[in-house]
């Protein structure tokens, strides 16, 4: 007798399941392969590299790797040929148990760029397991009085295979008493039944031996057998009968121990002990059921005694047996199907599969940072997982294949703002209440060189005293770079340029690491007042970024130049000045004038004159002006005065310490009748040279005016362009208007002057530009007079308001006070001209006074001259002083008288000189003829002072 399982409706359902599985896999896998279980090592599975579109040469460079969750190393890829092969024994039953589908899910990951491929390898079942019964022998006790058609349940065999390999056919050994059949059409019931076909007679056949054979549907077929030993008993007339042959109940998972599952009930028509029923699990029940459930033998109540987990087993089939207490016990049977209900008891699991860290701060939006896998062991809604990302991070989650997400960059990064981020991923299932899990990853932002070094301010002003030692540290620059590591390593260097005829690097240097600026050589204020240059700061990034800062180094003056005497018109062989003085002159007569200059500036260039006392303590009839250098007579000369007087004039500046120079003046006292003879010889030479000087002066004036006009026009245009481009610069504004005097014939007039600063982007400040407007009356007393002013660099008077001038850019301020009542006295009978003077006082009221403007600097050119009432100038009526010397400065104002017949109109002009020795040498190299003409002209002018 044969019984076949799985035919008919069950076969159709199995086929439909296979079709649905194939359609699902095709829609959810990128690649699908199949391999039979128990395949040998090296068995070919598929050309995975070719099917994924990857070149063989890029497998190793792109770090081709295969990962399988909880599958070990069953499959492997040969990186040389890209073939997927079997690496170790594959047991389908160990992998998937009795599940219909059994697949190995592989994750193929390649880098550069990061890609993830999903490969599904189906493990095909082979018929490698025979049917197995729970025991090799089954013992049955059957009363001889049992009626025909009575069923006796048997536990069927089990086959670990699936599909057709697990479709079992049962065959019972030939006999006269029993037949084999399935007791129910319910597909959940896998048991068998023996049906009594012939009445039993214990006396005839006390024991019956049967063999039950189970055969599967595989090729080749495999079989399993069990021995059935039937003992015929003399027992009760009625056996216990259950209310239902089949009980079905649903039980939630995770219920506590002692939870009642169901209560079964069986009744026996017999009386007494033959009617008392005892309940128990069938001897063929599985051990797992015995571990998890308990039945009360008296009441038939089934309770839970172990951990019930839906994920472990979804249903249980329990075979219950009811046996009465008769001498020949009879039994009844029923089945209980317990279906386990899933509850949301599993937290979602998160796993970072691949990380690409750190990420560059200039990475484009959309860059993949990490691959995240999520899973939940629950079923249905409880296993549906959604992921979310913590707020306020520049990332987002992008869903991929199945339960995979990619963590990608959502917005631009800036390491200087935020150097790292903590991204927290939360996975939440759909259960009620829902469960959730979090996983975090620290994303470090790698630096790129996107910030240039920055200085705290764009320009620095440095003050350095001249004559500094070579290599002296004068300043330190410092720049900060917001980047990190080598991108923030700042090195410093000079922006090379030429300063005059020399390179900037010959003056200063900068240390590449510390930014310290050193003066390579002693600086000289007289050569270089302002050194302006730029220092560059560059980082070590690729490409390197940099910025510049401007340094303005002002060289402060020190008293390192002694006064220098200017040449005199009559110098003896020993270098002394010689003068002839009539004995008849009166007190106050000016004998000579000592001229000296000092290359320094300010107090260091302000000179004073002192007359050294003679031997024997004899009171000398001469005195010298403290600041004018004019030697004059203090009393009337008499016969007691020596005919030859040797005067020593000490010229001293006001520096600390003061430097001096000594001038020797030889004065010869002559009688009054000898003085005109000497004067007539001098006048004769003067008349001869005066005519030639006039012609030269005319051409010289024309040339100077033409060149000056071009220079003024150029500077005005340049200044206008610069100031229009930089309207906010304070240094490009006009200066304060000042009063400057220009010469007219025999008189003085005042004109307005406005000083304009010439601006440039780099280099030294330009010399002040002055515009003079001459005023020449139509007719004056004795004719025209030409005034020539030669200015080198003018020192300043140290009154209480004295400061460095704005042209020195030392940041000092000054105030100017004008006295409107100042009077310039030209001489007896001459006109008195109102003249603005600087507020000051002279310690000697009888002497003349020369006052520099308050707050004047080296480039100031406005001076005031005032003579005391007790010392009138020895000049003719209507004449002006022919020459003025500005104390402590090489500037000389010379006034020459021209005959009235000379109609050449000369406007005032000013020439600017420098103190450098190079210009003095150039002047000395002029032709002898020109030099002699100038000396004659000076001598003529000096004689007019006598």
């Amino acid at each position: 007798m044969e019984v076949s399982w799985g035919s008919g409706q069950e076969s159709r359902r199995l086929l439909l399941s296979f079709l649905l599985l194939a359609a699902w896999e095709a829609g959810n896998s990128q690649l699908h392969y199949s391999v039979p279980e128990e395949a040998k090592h090296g068995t070919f599975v598929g050309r995975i590299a070719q099917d994924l579109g990857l070149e063989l040469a890029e497998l190793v460079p792109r770090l081709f790797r295969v990962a399988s969750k909880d599958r070990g190393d069953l499959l492997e890829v040969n990186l040389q040929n890209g073939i997927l092969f079997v690496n170790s024994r594959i047991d389908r039953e160990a992998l998937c148990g009795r599940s219909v589908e059994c697949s190995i899910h592989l994750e193929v990951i390649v880098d550069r760029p990061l890609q993830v491929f999903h490969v599904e390898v189906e493990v095909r079942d082979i018929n490698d397991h025979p049917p197995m019964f729970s025991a090799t022998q089954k013992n049955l006790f059957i009363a001889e009085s049992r009626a025909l058609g009575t069923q006796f349940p048997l536990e069927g065999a089990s086959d670990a295979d699936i599909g057709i390999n697990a479709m079992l056919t049962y065959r019972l050994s030939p006999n006269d008493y029993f037949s084999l059949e399935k007791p129910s059409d319910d597909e959940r019931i896998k048991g068998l039944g023996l049906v009594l076909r012939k009445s039993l007679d214990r006396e005839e056949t006390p024991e019956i031996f049967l063999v039950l054979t189970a055969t599967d549907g595989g090729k080749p077929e495999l079989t399993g057998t069990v021995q059935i030993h039937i003992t015929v008993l003399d027992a009760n007339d009625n056996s216990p009968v259950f209310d239902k042959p089949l009980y079905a109940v649903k039980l939630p998972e995770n219920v506590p121990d002692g939870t009642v599952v169901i209560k079964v009930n069986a009744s026996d028509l017999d009386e007494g002990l033959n009617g008392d029923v005892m309940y128990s699990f069938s001897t063929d029940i599985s051990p797992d059921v015995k571990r998890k459930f308990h039945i009360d033998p008296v009441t038939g109540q089934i309770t839970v005694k172990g951990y019930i987990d839906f994920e472990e087993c979804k249903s249980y089939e329990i075979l219950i047996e009811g046996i009465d207490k008769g001498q020949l016990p009879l039994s009844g049977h029923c089945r209980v199907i317990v279906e386990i209900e899933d509850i949301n008891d599993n937290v979602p699991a998160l796993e970072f599969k691949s990380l690409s860290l750190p990420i560059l701060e200039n990475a484009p939006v959309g860059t993949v940072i990490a691959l995240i896998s999520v899973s939940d062991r629950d079923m249905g809604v409880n296993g549906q997982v959604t992921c979310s990302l913590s707020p306020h991070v520049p990332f987002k989650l992008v869903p991929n294949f199945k339960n995979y997400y990619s963590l990608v960059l959502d917005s631009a990064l800036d390491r200087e703002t935020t150097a790292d981020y903590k991204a927290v991923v939360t996975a939440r299932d759909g259960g009620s209440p829902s469960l959730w899990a979090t996983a975090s990853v620290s994303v470090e932002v790698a630096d790129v060189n996107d910030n240039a070094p920055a200085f705290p301010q764009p320009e620095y002003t440095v003050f350095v005293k001249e004559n500094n030692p070579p290599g002296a540290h004068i300043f330190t620059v410092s720049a900060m770079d917001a980047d990190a590591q080598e991108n923030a390593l700042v090195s410093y260097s000079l922006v090379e340029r030429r300063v005059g005829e020399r390179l900037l690097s010959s003056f200063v240097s900068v240390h590449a690491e510390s930014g310290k600026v050193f003066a390579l050589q002693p600086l000289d204020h007289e050569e270089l007042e302002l050194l302006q240059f730029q220092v560059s700061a560059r980082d070590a990034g690729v490409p390197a970024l940099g910025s510049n800062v401007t340094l303005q180094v002002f060289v402060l003056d020190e008293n390192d130049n002694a006064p220098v005497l200017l040449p005199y018109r009559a110098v003896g062989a020993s270098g002394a000045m010689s003068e002839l003085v009539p004995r008849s002159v009166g007190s106050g007569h000016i004998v000579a004038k000592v001229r000296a200059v000092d290359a320094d500036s300010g107090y260091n260039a302000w000179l004073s004159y002192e007359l050294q006392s003679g031997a024997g303590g004899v009171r000398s009839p001469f005195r010298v002006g403290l600041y004018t250098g004019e030697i004059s007579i203090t009393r009337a000369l008499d016969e007691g005065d020596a005919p030859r007087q040797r005067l020593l004039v000490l010229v001293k500046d006001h520096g600390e310490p003061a430097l001096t120079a000594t001038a020797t003046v030889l004065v010869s006292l002559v009688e009054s009748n000898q003085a005109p003879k000497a004067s007539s010889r001098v006048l004769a030479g003067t008349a001869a040279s005066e005519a030639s000087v006039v012609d030269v002066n005319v051409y010289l004036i024309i040339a100077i005016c033409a060149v000056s006009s071009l220079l003024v026009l150029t500077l005005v245009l340049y200044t206008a362009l610069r100031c229009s481009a930089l309207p906010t610069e304070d240094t490009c504004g006009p200066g304060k208007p000042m009063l400057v005097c220009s010469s007219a014939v025999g008189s003085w007039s005042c004109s307005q002057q406005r000083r304009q600063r010439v601006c440039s982007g780099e280099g030294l400040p330009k010399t002040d530009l002055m515009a003079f407007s001459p005023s020449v009356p139509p007719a004056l007393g004795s004719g025209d007079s030409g005034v020539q002013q030669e200015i080198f660099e003018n020192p300043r008077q140290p009154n209480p308001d004295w400061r460095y001038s704005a042209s020195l850019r030392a940041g000092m301020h000054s105030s100017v006070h004008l006295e409107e009542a100042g009077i310039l006295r030209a001489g007896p009978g001459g006109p008195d001209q109102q003249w603005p003077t600087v507020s000051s006082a002279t310690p000697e009221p009888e002497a003349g006074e020369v006052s520099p403007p308050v707050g004047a600097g080296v480039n100031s050119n406005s001076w005031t001259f005032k003579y005391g009432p007790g010392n009138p100038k020895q000049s003719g009526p209507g004449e002006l002083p022919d020459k003025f010397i500005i104390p402590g400065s090489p500037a000389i104002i010379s006034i020459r008288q021209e005959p009235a017949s000379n109609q050449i109109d000369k406007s005032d002009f000013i020439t600017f000189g420098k103190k450098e020795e190079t210009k003095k040498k150039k002047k000395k190299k002029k032709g002898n003829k020109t030099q002699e003409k100038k000396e004659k002209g000076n001598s003529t002018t000096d004689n007019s002072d006598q």
Side-chain angles (χ1 to χ4, degrees):
M1 180 176 292
E2 295 183 355
V3 177
S4 176
W5 284 183
S7 59
Q9 183 178 4
E10 184 175 356
S11 299
R12 289 192 297 273
R13 291 179 179 178
L14 183 62
L15 179 61
L16 180 60
S17 299
F18 275 117
L19 293 176
L20 292 176
L21 175 63
W24 182 84
E25 290 175 344
N28 289 274
S29 297
Q30 294 185 7
L31 286 180
H32 181 85
Y33 299 107
S34 65
V35 63
E37 66 174 330
E38 305 294 341
K40 295 181 180 180
H41 174 76
T43 301
F44 174 86
V45 178
R47 300 184 181 277
I48 188 170
Q50 178 180 346
D51 295 339
L52 291 177
L54 300 175
E55 297 294 334
L56 296 179
E58 65 181 358
L59 296 184
V60 175
R62 294 187 64 183
L63 303 179
F64 183 97
R65 56 195 183 275
V66 176
S68 176
K69 184 177 181 181
D70 299 331
R71 293 295 187 257
D73 56 346
L74 299 178
L75 300 174
E76 193 58 57
V77 175
N78 188 337
L79 298 182
Q80 304 300 322
N81 52 24
I83 292 177
L84 180 66
F85 64 92
V86 176
N87 188 45
S88 60
R89 176 178 175 269
I90 301 177
D91 187 358
R92 184 189 183 282
E93 286 71 29
L95 289 176
C96 305
R98 306 238 352 131
S99 177
V100 175
E101 65 164 317
C102 185
S103 299
I104 300 176
H105 295 280
L106 303 179
E107 296 169 0
V108 179
I109 303 174
V110 290
D111 294 335
R112 305 170 187 164
L114 177 65
Q115 289 181 286
V116 180
F117 304 94
H118 299 273
V119 179
E120 188 176 41
V121 180
E122 177 187 2
V123 181
R124 300 195 305 272
D125 183 50
I126 65 173
N127 192 23
D128 58 340
H129 291 85
M132 297 291 294
F133 288 93
S134 60
T136 58
Q137 182 174 328
K138 175 69 174 176
N139 296 317
L140 296 178
F141 299 90
I142 301 176
E144 62 179 352
S145 60
R146 298 299 293 266
L148 297 178
T150 302
Q151 288 189 358
F152 301 94
L154 297 175
E155 184 70 14
S158 62
D159 195 325
D161 298 323
I162 64 168
I164 193 171
N165 295 326
M167 296 179 65
L168 303 180
T169 302
Y170 295 93
R171 184 174 68 253
L172 189 65
S173 61
N175 68 90
D176 296 331
Y177 297 96
F178 295 95
S179 65
L180 186 66
E181 66 181 25
K182 190 175 181 181
S184 174
D185 292 333
D186 194 333
E187 62 183 14
R188 296 176 295 176
I189 300 176
K190 302 176 183 178
L192 304 175
L194 284 178
V195 180
L196 182 63
R197 296 301 182 185
K198 183 180 177 181
S199 299
L200 297 176
D201 186 1
R202 180 181 177 278
E203 288 72 22
E204 181 180 356
T205 310
E207 291 181 339
I208 301 174
F209 294 91
L210 301 176
V211 176
L212 179 62
T213 303
T215 305
D216 62 21
K219 298 296 181 180
E221 296 179 347
L222 300 177
T223 61
T225 61
V226 62
Q227 299 288 334
I228 301 176
H229 180 208
I230 300 175
T231 302
V232 180
L233 303 175
D234 288 335
N236 295 329
D237 295 332
N238 296 285
S239 61
V241 177
F242 284 91
D243 296 341
K244 296 180 181 178
L246 176 65
Y247 292 87
V249 63
K250 292 184 177 181
L251 180 68
E253 64 174 332
N254 301 331
V255 293
D257 291 350
T259 301
V260 176
V261 179
I262 196 172
K263 184 178 182 180
V264 296
N265 181 56
S267 59
D268 194 324
L269 298 178
D270 294 327
E271 294 182 356
L273 295 177
N274 293 331
D276 292 339
V277 179
M278 300 294 292
Y279 302 94
S280 65
F281 291 139
S282 174
T283 56
D284 296 332
I285 199 169
S286 67
D288 189 40
V289 173
K290 291 182 179 179
R291 288 194 302 267
K292 296 183 181 297
F293 299 97
H294 169 73
I295 186 169
D296 189 290
V298 177
T299 63
Q301 182 174 280
I302 301 174
T303 58
V304 175
K305 72 170 185 177
Y307 178 66
I308 306 298
D309 187 6
F310 174 83
E311 288 73 32
E312 180 181 339
C313 184
K314 297 177 176 56
S315 66
Y316 295 92
E317 181 181 352
I318 305 175
L319 184 62
I320 307 298
E321 188 175 46
I323 303 174
D324 60 23
K325 297 180 180 179
Q327 187 177 5
L328 298 175
L330 300 179
S331 64
H333 301 84
C334 72
R335 296 177 186 273
V336 177
I337 302 298
V338 181
E339 294 184 353
I340 307 302
E341 292 182 332
D342 182 44
I343 64 173
N344 191 24
D345 61 338
N346 288 281
V347 177
L350 284 157
E351 183 180 0
F352 286 92
K353 291 292 185 180
S354 181
L355 294 175
S356 297
L357 297 175
I359 182 171
L360 295 176
E361 61 176 320
N362 62 348
V365 175
T367 300
V368 178
I369 300 171
L371 186 65
I372 305 171
S373 171
V374 296
S375 61
D376 195 317
R377 296 181 60 195
D378 294 323
M379 299 293 292
V381 176
N382 297 331
Q384 295 178 359
V385 182
T386 57
C387 288
S388 61
L389 191 62
S390 57
H392 311 301
V393 291
F395 314 113
K396 67 178 180 180
L397 288 175
V398 177
N400 290 344
F401 172 80
K402 287 187 177 179
N403 291 329
Y404 282 86
Y405 291 84
S406 293
L407 181 66
V408 301
L409 185 62
D410 189 40
S411 61
L413 300 175
D414 185 8
R415 190 205 65 82
E416 289 70 38
T417 302
T418 306
D420 57 7
Y421 296 90
K422 184 177 182 181
V424 180
V425 180
T426 302
R428 189 181 298 273
D429 60 27
S432 180
S434 63
L435 300 179
W436 53 274
T438 61
S440 62
V441 59
S442 181
V443 180
E444 180 182 357
V445 182
D447 182 54
V448 297
N449 193 25
D450 57 348
N451 290 278
F455 290 95
Q457 59 190 66
E459 182 176 307
Y460 292 94
T461 301
V462 183
F463 298 95
V464 179
K465 290 186 178 181
E466 65 174 333
N467 302 323
N468 57 281
H473 173 227
I474 61 175
F475 194 70
T476 300
V477 295
S478 178
M480 299 298 295
D481 196 312
D483 293 322
Q485 298 178 353
E486 66 274 3
N487 296 330
L489 295 178
V490 180
S491 60
Y492 304 90
S493 62
L494 287 176
V495 178
E496 188 64 271
R497 69 178 184 87
R498 302 194 70 85
V499 179
E501 298 180 354
R502 298 168 58 184
L503 294 176
L504 174 65
S505 56
S506 64
F507 288 93
V508 292
S509 68
V510 60
H511 193 273
E513 296 180 0
S514 64
K516 291 184 177 181
V517 182
F518 300 94
L520 298 180
Q521 62 181 13
L523 301 177
D524 189 0
H525 172 80
E526 288 71 40
E527 292 183 2
L528 187 66
E529 296 182 9
L530 172 63
L531 179 61
Q532 180 172 311
F533 58 92
Q534 288 185 327
V535 175
S536 174
R538 297 183 71 82
D539 56 32
V542 178
L545 301 177
S547 62
N548 295 341
V549 66
T550 300
L551 265 67
Q552 292 187 345
V553 179
F554 287 92
V555 182
L556 302 180
D557 182 55
E558 286 190 337
N559 193 25
D560 58 345
N561 291 278
V564 177
L565 298 172
L566 295 179
Y568 194 65
R569 64 176 183 273
V571 181
S574 60
M577 301 169 52
S578 299
E579 289 290 344
L580 298 178
V581 178
R583 288 183 178 270
S584 60
V585 296
S587 175
H589 177 79
I590 297 176
V591 175
K593 190 168 190 176
V594 178
R595 300 176 179 87
V597 294
D598 195 315
D600 294 321
S601 61
Y603 270 104
N604 297 330
W606 188 37
L607 302 181
S608 63
Y609 302 86
E610 296 179 8
L611 191 61
Q612 298 288 69
S613 302
V618 180
R619 183 173 180 270
S620 174
F622 301 97
R623 65 179 299 276
V624 64
L626 179 60
Y627 299 113
T628 62
E630 293 180 346
I631 300 175
S632 59
I633 297 175
T634 60
R635 58 178 174 80
L637 300 176
D638 54 26
E639 295 298 331
D641 296 320
R644 293 182 61 83
Q645 299 280 346
R646 182 182 180 88
L647 306 179
L648 295 179
V649 179
L650 180 66
V651 184
K652 181 172 63 174
D653 58 28
H654 288 72
E656 290 293 341
L659 301 179
T660 62
T662 303
T664 302
V665 181
L666 300 177
V667 180
S668 299
L669 302 181
V670 297
E671 299 300 330
S672 299
N673 56 358
Q674 295 177 357
K677 294 180 180 181
S679 299
S680 63
R681 289 194 298 268
V682 175
L683 291 175
T686 302
S689 60
E690 197 172 67
S692 61
V693 172
V694 170
D695 295 334
V696 174
N697 288 343
V698 172
Y699 294 111
L700 184 59
I701 290 173
I702 294 174
I704 291 175
C705 290
V707 174
S708 300
S709 300
L710 291 176
L711 177 61
V712 169
L713 180 60
T714 302
L715 292 177
V716 169
L717 291 176
Y718 180 76
T719 303
L721 291 176
R722 292 291 293 181
C723 292
S724 62
L726 301 171
T728 61
E729 289 290 339
D730 296 337
T731 58
C732 294
K736 296 182 179 179
M738 300 174 61
L739 289 175
V740 178
C741 291
S742 60
S743 173
V745 179
S747 64
W748 291 87
S749 62
C750 298
S751 62
Q752 287 286 339
Q753 171 213 352
R754 180 173 296 276
R755 177 175 302 169
Q756 182 73 29
R757 180 69 177 273
V758 180
C759 300
S760 63
E762 61 179 26
L764 297 174
K766 305 301 184 295
T767 306
D768 294 346
L769 173 65
M770 299 184 185
F772 296 89
S773 57
S775 175
V776 181
L780 289 174
S782 60
D784 298 338
S785 64
V787 179
Q788 179 178 1
Q789 181 178 3
E790 299 175 355
I791 301 175
F792 292 85
E793 292 185 357
N794 299 335
R796 305 295 177 260
Q797 178 181 357
N799 64 4
D801 294 327
W802 189 88
R803 299 289 188 273
Y804 286 110
S805 69
S807 63
L808 287 180
R809 302 191 63 183
M812 311 297 289
H813 299 282
S814 60
S815 59
V816 178
H817 308 282
L818 299 181
E819 295 181 359
E820 299 297 338
I823 299 177
L824 174 65
R825 301 183 182 275
D832 291 342
Q833 178 67 37
Q834 294 296 325
W835 177 254
T837 64
V838 177
S839 176
S840 62
T842 177
E844 302 179 35
E846 295 84 1
E849 177 185 335
V850 180
S851 302
V854 174
V858 173
N859 295 324
S860 298
N861 301 295
S862 179
W863 292 79
T864 300
F865 308 92
K866 183 166 69 174
Y867 288 88
N871 187 16
K873 177 66 179 172
Q874 303 297 326
S875 303
E879 296 182 353
L880 291 174
D882 61 336
K883 182 177 293 186
F884 298 96
I885 180 69
I886 300 175
S889 169
I892 303 173
I893 300 177
S894 300
I895 303 176
R896 292 192 299 273
Q897 301 293 332
E898 298 293 344
S901 60
N902 192 347
Q903 299 301 321
I904 299 175
D905 185 12
K906 303 182 184 67
S907 299
D908 297 346
F909 62 93
I910 295 177
T911 59
F912 295 87
K914 295 291 183 179
K915 295 182 289 183
E916 292 83 348
E917 293 297 330
T918 55
K919 298 208 171 191
K920 293 183 179 180
K921 291 179 180 179
K922 290 182 181 180
K923 291 182 179 180
K924 291 182 179 180
K925 291 181 180 180
K926 292 182 179 179
N928 295 331
K929 185 175 179 180
T930 306
Q931 185 67 25
E932 292 174 357
K933 290 181 179 181
K934 290 185 177 180
E935 291 178 355
K936 292 179 180 180
N938 291 336
S939 301
T940 305
T941 308
D942 292 339
N943 290 335
S944 64
D945 295 339
Q946 306 298 327

